[in-house]
Amino acid sequence: MNRLLVCCSMLLFGFYAQASTQLNSSELQNIALSSTWQKLLVYNDNGESYIQSDHFFLSAQGATDPLAELSATLTAFAIPVDPATPDVHAQCRFPARYQWLKQQLDLSDFNIEQLSCPQFNQFNEKQSIRSVSVIFASGFLANPASYYGHLLLKLNASQSDSDHKALQDTAINFGADVPVDENMALYVIKGIVGQYDASFTRQKYFYHAGNYRESELRDLWEYELALEQQDINLLLGHLWELLDADYQYYFFNRNCAFHMGELLQLVLTTKLAANKRLWMTPQSIMQNLSAVNYNGKPLVHTITYHPSRQSRLYQRFSFLNKPQRAMLHNLVNKPDHIKNIDLSAFVIAEQHEIVDTLIDYYQFLRKEAAGTNDENNIRYKQAVLLRYQLPPGPGADKFSSAAQPHLGRKPSYSSVQIMGNSETATYGLLQLRPAYYDALDAEEGHVSFSALSMGELVLGFTDNRLFLKDLSLLKIESIRANLTGLPGDRNYSWYLDVGAAQSKIGCVSCAAVKVNSGIGYGVEAIPRLNISGFIGGGYLGKSLNDNDSYLATKLIATWYTTERLSARLELEQRFYSDGRTDHLTKLNSRLALTQNSDIRIAVSRDNSATEVGLALGWYW
C-alpha cells in the first residue's frame, strides 16, 4: 500500500514539474499580460480585479497577478475529475477561461483533457442563444437605484421568434445586494461610499419586463448586437463564471452601467466604460455601444422599442381626433354603455382606434390578480369583446419612439455665464453638473419636463471675489403629464432640492442652507406644453431658525417649442413663518446649437433684485 502511494506521489510530482516548466515560458507570460485574459479576471487599469470573492481566483495572488492565476488555472484544469462532482472542477467553474485558453495553447501539453460539465452544459444548451441584446430601461424618479435608468443583458434563444416567447428568455442583471427594507436615503449614502456588495444575477426576462413596463411604467429599448457565435459562447461562459462573484458597488461609477460595459468589452476591442470617470450612466454606455464597429459593421444590429403600459395608452390617445376622444371619455364615464355602444358615426379604422385605446386604458388601470374584485378587469374584458365584434380593418400600427437613448446628448454639463444684476456689478458664473439633466434638456432616455441632478455646482466670480451661487446636492423634479385626463390617469408631480444657495438674488455674500420640496399636479395643456401647480415648503437660512422656514405655492410651465428650442416659466410665492413674503419669478430659455452645446438666457427676480444672464454651455 505504501509503495503504491509513493508511486502515485512520484507521478503527480512529475506531472506538476512538467506543467511548471511550461508555465515559465515567454508564451505564457504574453498570454497572462493579454487584454482578454485580464478581462476574464475582471482587472481594472491598475492591474487589480474588481471581483471581491476569493473563490473566483485559483491562486492566492490571482486578484493582482495574472501570471500566477494563469499558472494556477492550467494546473487546476489538469487535475483529475471526481466523477461524483464534476461541476466543482475548475473547467466547469471557469468555462470561458477554458474556451479561450484552448484557442491560445495546445492544452494537451499540460495533460489537460476536456471535461463534460452537466450544470454549465444544461445552462448553455437550454439557452440555445442565437444573439445577445442590451436592454435600456428609462429613469424612474421614485427609486434612487433607478434615477439614471438601468441596463440588462438579454440572452435571445433560437426559438424566441415572437414577443411572447422572448419573455421566456434569460435576462442578466447587475445590482447592489440591498436589504429589502433598506431606507432609500441610507441606500444612496451607503451606495456612494461603497458599502454594498453587488453581483450579476439571472432571471426570466418577463420578470424585469413586467416590473419595469407594467409596475414602474418605464419604457424599454432593446439593442440587439451582431455578435458572432464564437463570441456569444465566450460571453455566455464568462457570465457563468461571474454569477456567484461579488463586486464592491459604488452608486456613481461602479454601477450597473459600468460593469455591464466591462462585461461586453470581453468580446470588443473598443472600451465602453472609462475606469477613471467619476460617474457612469446607462445612457453613456448605450451611446458608446452604438458607435462601435464589429468586424467592419455596426455592432448594434436592430433597435426595438418596448413601451410601458402608460406609454402605450398615451401614444394611442395622441392619435385620436377630437370626436374620437369625446367618444372615449363617454365610454369611460358611462362604462355600462360599452356593451351596446353605437360607433357607426366613425369609419372602421377610427372605431378600431377608439376601442384599442379603451382596451389600453383598462389595461393601464387594472390589477389582474384582483380578478372580479377589480371592476377594471370586467371593463377590460368588455372592451376586448367589443373589439372582436367590430368589422375587420387595416392592421394596427406598431408603437414607435424617436427618443432612442443613444441619440441623446452626453450626460455631464458645464457652462460659462455672464450676469447682469440690478443691485450688484456684472459678474460671471461657472456651472458644473456632473449628471444628468434639467427640464429644458430632458430628451432621449429622460423623463420629459422633469429634472435630475446630483452635485450641481454654480460658482460666481468678480475681479476680486469667488463665491457660491448655488449648490444642489440632490435636485429632482418629477413632472407627470396626465395626458388623457381620464379617471385614474391623474398622477401627482413633486420636487425636491437640497443644498445651499444665496438667499437673495441681489446678494453675493448671503449663502444659506436650502431645502425645499412640494407636491402638485400637472397637465399637458397642448402638445409639448406642460403646466404644473404645487404647494410645498422649505428652509433657506444660515442657522436653524424657525423664521427661515416657509410655505410656498409654485406654478411651472415648460414648453418644448421645437426640437432645439425650449422655455420654462416659474412663479413662486413664499410665506415665511415670521410674516415675510417673497415672490420669485424665473424665465429660462434654451437653444441647442449642436447635440452637445447650447445657449441659454435666464431672467430671475425676487423682492431684492432682478438678474439677467447669458450662458454658453457644452455637454461632455
Side-chain angles (χ1 to χ4, degrees):
M1 183 68 176
N2 290 337
R3 185 175 299 175
L4 178 61
L5 288 174
V6 171
C7 290
C8 289
S9 298
M10 291 179 64
L11 286 172
L12 285 173
F13 178 82
F15 158 72
Y16 288 122
Q18 180 187 4
S20 177
T21 300
Q22 295 289 343
L23 291 174
N24 290 327
S25 69
S26 60
E27 181 183 9
L28 292 184
Q29 179 73 27
N30 291 335
I31 291 175
L33 296 177
S34 70
S35 61
T36 301
W37 179 249
Q38 298 198 16
K39 289 175 185 178
L40 286 168
L41 302 183
V42 199
Y43 276 20
N44 61 25
D45 289 345
N46 297 322
E48 299 177 355
S49 180
Y50 289 113
I51 302 294
Q52 303 290 303
S53 304
D54 290 339
H55 62 75
F56 184 76
F57 304 101
L58 296 170
S59 165
Q61 294 79 39
T64 56
D65 188 337
L67 181 58
E69 185 64 17
L70 177 58
S71 301
T73 298
L74 290 169
T75 299
F77 281 176
I79 293 175
V81 64
D82 182 350
T85 57
D87 291 304
V88 302
H89 193 277
Q91 280 192 41
C92 298
R93 290 169 52 202
F94 301 103
R97 296 190 194 182
Y98 179 84
Q99 291 174 40
W100 186 74
L101 288 173
K102 187 178 179 181
Q103 298 170 5
Q104 312 305 312
L105 297 166
D106 184 354
L107 295 183
S108 63
D109 291 343
F110 301 89
N111 295 323
I112 296 174
E113 297 181 0
Q114 185 169 0
L115 304 180
S116 176
C117 303
Q119 290 184 4
F120 175 68
N121 291 341
Q122 182 182 19
F123 169 76
N124 198 7
E125 293 169 4
K126 186 177 181 180
Q127 308 303 317
S128 186
I129 304 304
R130 61 174 173 82
S131 69
V132 172
S133 295
V134 180
I135 305 290
F136 176 92
S138 60
F140 181 54
L141 297 181
N143 182 353
S146 301
Y147 280 169
Y148 299 102
H150 193 64
L151 296 182
L152 297 169
L153 206 64
K154 181 168 166 282
L155 309 179
N156 303 314
S158 299
Q159 66 273 20
S160 299
D161 53 0
S162 67
D163 290 342
H164 177 72
K165 289 182 179 179
L167 292 173
Q168 297 297 322
D169 287 337
T170 296
I172 305 297
N173 182 48
F174 181 90
D177 301 327
V178 182
V180 176
D181 57 349
E182 188 81 290
N183 177 274
M184 284 295 100
L186 184 62
Y187 160 76
V188 173
I189 295 171
K190 292 174 70 174
I192 289 173
V193 298
Q195 291 299 300
Y196 292 116
D197 288 336
S199 59
F200 284 97
T201 56
R202 56 174 167 147
Q203 218 161 11
K204 290 295 184 183
Y205 174 62
F206 71 79
Y207 170 82
H208 295 287
N211 182 47
Y212 291 149
R213 295 167 58 193
E214 306 305 317
S215 298
E216 297 180 353
L217 307 181
R218 300 165 69 178
D219 292 336
L220 304 179
W221 284 265
E222 178 176 352
Y223 289 63
E224 186 177 9
L225 308 183
L227 294 175
E228 293 182 349
Q229 193 62 48
Q230 177 176 304
D231 284 339
I232 292 173
N233 294 340
L234 183 63
L235 195 62
L236 197 61
H238 191 43
L239 280 169
W240 179 260
E241 299 169 352
L242 296 175
L243 284 176
D244 63 347
D246 288 331
Y247 295 70
Q248 189 173 13
Y249 178 84
Y250 287 94
F251 183 83
F252 288 124
N253 58 0
R254 298 298 181 261
N255 48 27
C256 77
F258 179 85
H259 287 295
M260 281 292 182
E262 286 281 299
L263 173 63
L264 291 170
Q265 282 169 200
L266 174 64
V267 294
L268 302 175
T269 57
T270 304
K271 202 163 185 63
L272 299 178
N275 290 59
K276 296 181 180 179
R277 191 175 177 88
L278 296 178
W279 46 88
M280 182 59 62
T281 66
Q283 188 173 21
S284 297
I285 297 297
M286 303 312 294
Q287 290 170 338
N288 294 340
L289 198 68
S290 66
V292 172
N293 278 334
Y294 176 82
N295 291 339
K297 297 180 180 179
L299 173 64
V300 176
H301 176 58
T302 60
I303 302 174
T304 306
Y305 173 57
H306 303 289
S308 70
R309 58 191 174 100
Q310 185 179 61
S311 293
R312 295 195 300 268
L313 171 62
Y314 282 7
Q315 194 163 138
R316 286 199 192 277
F317 186 84
S318 69
F319 293 146
L320 301 182
N321 57 36
K322 189 173 182 179
Q324 286 176 300
R325 294 185 181 187
M327 176 57 72
L328 177 66
H329 276 266
N330 179 53
L331 288 169
V332 170
N333 293 323
K334 299 177 181 178
D336 292 337
H337 292 186
I338 293 177
K339 295 179 181 179
N340 303 309
I341 192 67
D342 182 8
L343 298 175
S344 59
F346 300 92
V347 299
I348 297 300
E350 291 177 330
Q351 294 179 28
H352 288 181
E353 291 167 351
I354 294 170
V355 179
D356 286 344
T357 307
L358 183 66
I359 290 172
D360 274 339
Y361 169 68
Y362 285 119
Q363 177 74 3
F364 171 64
L365 293 182
R366 75 190 187 111
K367 296 178 174 60
E368 187 174 2
T372 56
N373 292 326
D374 181 0
E375 187 175 328
N376 292 310
N377 283 319
I378 300 173
R379 304 305 181 195
Y380 171 75
K381 290 181 180 179
Q382 291 174 343
V384 171
L385 180 60
L386 175 60
R387 181 65 172 84
Y388 280 122
Q389 294 172 348
L390 295 178
D397 292 333
K398 291 186 176 181
F399 296 103
S400 62
S401 173
Q404 295 173 348
H406 74 280
L407 296 177
R409 45 150 188 86
K410 296 179 180 179
S412 303
Y413 181 73
S414 299
S415 71
V416 178
Q417 308 175 38
I418 183 170
M419 309 297 295
N421 192 293
S422 61
E423 299 297 319
T424 64
T426 298
Y427 64 92
L429 289 179
L430 297 174
Q431 178 187 9
L432 171 64
R433 186 179 73 205
Y436 189 32
Y437 61 93
D438 59 52
L440 293 182
D441 62 14
E443 47 181 31
E444 286 81 359
H446 305 150
V447 182
S448 296
F449 307 112
S450 300
L452 170 62
S453 65
M454 289 184 177
E456 182 173 355
L457 176 65
V458 183
L459 295 176
F461 61 92
T462 63
D463 291 339
N464 55 12
R465 181 176 188 143
L466 181 68
F467 60 93
L468 176 69
K469 179 69 172 178
D470 191 271
L471 170 65
S472 290
L473 298 176
L474 175 62
K475 183 177 181 179
I476 305 174
E477 294 176 356
S478 179
I479 308 296
R480 309 298 290 270
N482 300 302
L483 182 66
T484 69
L486 295 168
D489 183 30
R490 298 190 176 102
N491 303 290
Y492 289 110
S493 299
W494 58 276
Y495 66 85
L496 172 68
D497 190 6
V498 179
Q502 297 293 327
S503 59
K504 298 177 181 179
I505 289 178
C507 184
V508 298
S509 59
C510 305
V513 174
K514 67 170 179 177
V515 179
N516 62 78
S517 63
I519 190 169
Y521 184 78
V523 295
E524 192 162 339
I526 60 174
R528 300 172 65 83
L529 170 62
N530 181 278
I531 300 176
S532 301
F534 300 87
I535 57 172
Y539 173 85
L540 186 63
K542 296 183 178 181
S543 61
L544 295 178
N545 189 326
D546 289 342
N547 292 336
D548 294 321
S549 60
Y550 60 85
L551 297 176
T553 59
K554 183 184 287 191
L555 179 70
I556 298 176
T558 306
W559 189 14
Y560 301 145
T561 53
T562 69
E563 293 297 324
R564 298 175 57 203
L565 182 64
S566 55
R568 175 182 169 101
L569 174 65
E570 184 176 335
L571 305 173
E572 182 177 5
Q573 187 75 30
R574 294 178 177 176
F575 305 91
Y576 285 87
S577 54
D578 62 358
R580 288 178 293 137
T581 62
D582 196 4
H583 181 77
L584 292 86
T585 302
K586 297 180 181 179
L587 177 61
N588 296 274
S589 61
R590 172 184 182 265
L591 175 65
L593 300 178
T594 66
Q595 185 179 31
N596 290 305
S597 64
D598 64 14
I599 287 179
R600 301 194 185 208
I601 298 175
V603 180
S604 302
R605 178 182 176 86
D606 64 6
N607 290 355
S608 69
T610 299
E611 190 168 72
V612 180
L614 176 65
L616 174 63
W618 59 96
Y619 298 89
W620 47 281

